[in-house]
Amino acid sequence: MSSSKPSSSRQDPGSVPAAVVNRLSMYLRELQHLLADGQETTSSSQLGHRLGFTDAQVRKDLAHFGHFGHPGIGYRCDELVGAIRRILGTDREWRVALVGVGNLGRALLGYRGFHRQGFRLVAAFDTDPAMIDTKIEGVLIYDILRLAEIVSAEQVELGLVAVPASDAQDVANQLVAAGVGGILNFAPVTLTVPSTVSKVGVDLARELEQVTFSVANRLKVDES
Amino acid sequence: MSSSKPSSSRQDPGSVPAAVVNRLSMYLRELQHLLADGQETTSSSQLGHRLGFTDAQVRKDLAHFGHFGHPGIGYRCDELVGAIRRILGTDREWRVALVGVGNLGRALLGYRGFHRQGFRLVAAFDTDPAMIDTKIEGVLIYDILRLAEIVSAEQVELGLVAVPASDAQDVANQLVAAGVGGILNFAPVTLTVPSTVSKVGVDLARELEQVTFSVANRLKVDES
DNA sequence: CATTGTGAACTTATTCACAGCC
DNA sequence: GGCTGTGAATAAGTTCACAATG
């Protein structure tokens, strides 16, 4: 059901700052909590307040993509959830593969949050012969040599890279060659990928360093 | 501004944008790779190029904290690594505790990257009686009821929250009450903590949503 | 002469404030 | 009355460009 109703306008995304997309994701999560609490509508100020933003910020962010609110009323939670999911592309299922079934990889295989937001882990890859052809959390683990074959057969669109830093670029290259559109990288290296492929990096030590900085400097630098 | 006479200037951090601290962390990682490759010095343009920033950006970021470069030469890698670690506070060990030894928690216990950057996991907490008093990855797991006691005894300064969303705020409150200075939260909720405590949130589904957005909109929105 | 550090110019992002609507 | 959406005002962040430097 791609939107055919022009009343909820699908607007030219033009060029949207990454920070806006990040906040969109936060709004979504917060709206889902509100819905779970049985709340039907919310306002830019409530939403902003819960996340530490101003009401104007919330409205401006949403205005990048269309008119989702109702003056005098606010936003209908379910409506806005739908709108944001459409914007983020998570109004459908995404087929995801994991490369690297180590410590972190196994945790990713079992992570409920992915499934909850519409991500489906359809394959995993590793080099360890003891693991190949076994299942973890219901996901079959393949020899990494079969990456191209399986990514194609399983129509994998996104890759999770959870291999050691030294292997990460090589794995990324293989994923790109196999045709994935985006990569979430957990290895502590900066990957180089073609501009046709999206990538986001998550480096856990780096995240902790953001915390130590604030603690060491005793000043508030909030984030999500 | 105020002049002390520091050879390695410790400058007033005043108010530093979170984005700068984030990049600092990236510079550090990149410098460590350069060092591992045997490179003695680098330049703002090399560093920037590897991360997708301009040279001016790199210099401005570092200028927030002091004068670390050598005109005509660039930056000595080891020197700059030391400076950035001092700024981030990771020039010493930090004692960290994990709460929630589920899927993700176990991965965090085994994550090498933490130790590599000077983080030491000294305790873990869970409610599962089968787990309590066992060790995982060399870390002893305590009953969560003993959180205050152990955090104090082990001088824990940072907490990792890897419990279900519904328990996260409660756990955060306990960590704060027990005296931790910062929290890295993996639960998909916005935690409320006193402004004397630092927090950073990592939501894996949200990170993947940043990827799907770019893929769905076929436009480059790079990040780390 | 390559490279830093930095004021000035520019660009981008946030907040204000208010018209229009429910 | 409460709330959105948005142009105008303000603030913040980035890049430019160049004097200073080993």
Side-chain angles (χ1 to χ4, degrees), chain B residues 111-171:
Chain B
Y111 186 60
R112 299 296 190 94
F114 286 143
H115 188 260
R116 205 180 302 133
Q117 298 297 344
F119 298 107
R120 181 132 158 248
L121 267 156
V122 297
F125 300 94
D126 206 294
T127 51
D128 181 353
M131 247 171 205
I132 292 165
D133 293 329
T134 68
K135 273 191 175 186
I136 294 188
E137 303 280 345
V139 181
L140 191 50
I141 301 170
Y142 298 93
D143 189 322
I144 202 166
L145 294 172
R146 299 179 64 195
L147 193 145
E149 170 202 343
I150 304 294
V151 162
S152 167
E154 288 285 358
Q155 299 168 75
V156 171
E157 302 173 275
L158 304 175
L160 307 179
V161 175
V163 298
S166 51
D167 302 336
Q169 182 64 58
D170 181 50
V171 163

Side-chain angles (χ1 to χ4, degrees), chain A residues 89-99 109 114-115 117-125 138-140 142 147 149-161 175 178-184, chain B residues 208 211-212 215 218:
Chain A
T90 55
D91 53 339
R92 63 163 177 98
E93 208 177 69
W94 287 77
R95 298 175 70 81
V96 182
L98 165 73
V99 188
L109 285 174
F114 285 143
H115 189 260
Q117 298 297 344
F119 298 107
R120 180 131 159 248
L121 266 156
V122 296
F125 301 94
V139 180
L140 191 50
Y142 298 93
L147 191 146
E149 172 202 343
I150 305 294
V151 162
S152 168
E154 288 284 357
Q155 300 170 74
V156 170
E157 305 172 272
L158 304 176
L160 308 179
V161 175
L175 284 168
V180 305
I183 290 177
L184 184 57
Chain B
L208 249 188
V211 180
T212 58
V215 175
R218 268 314 106 120

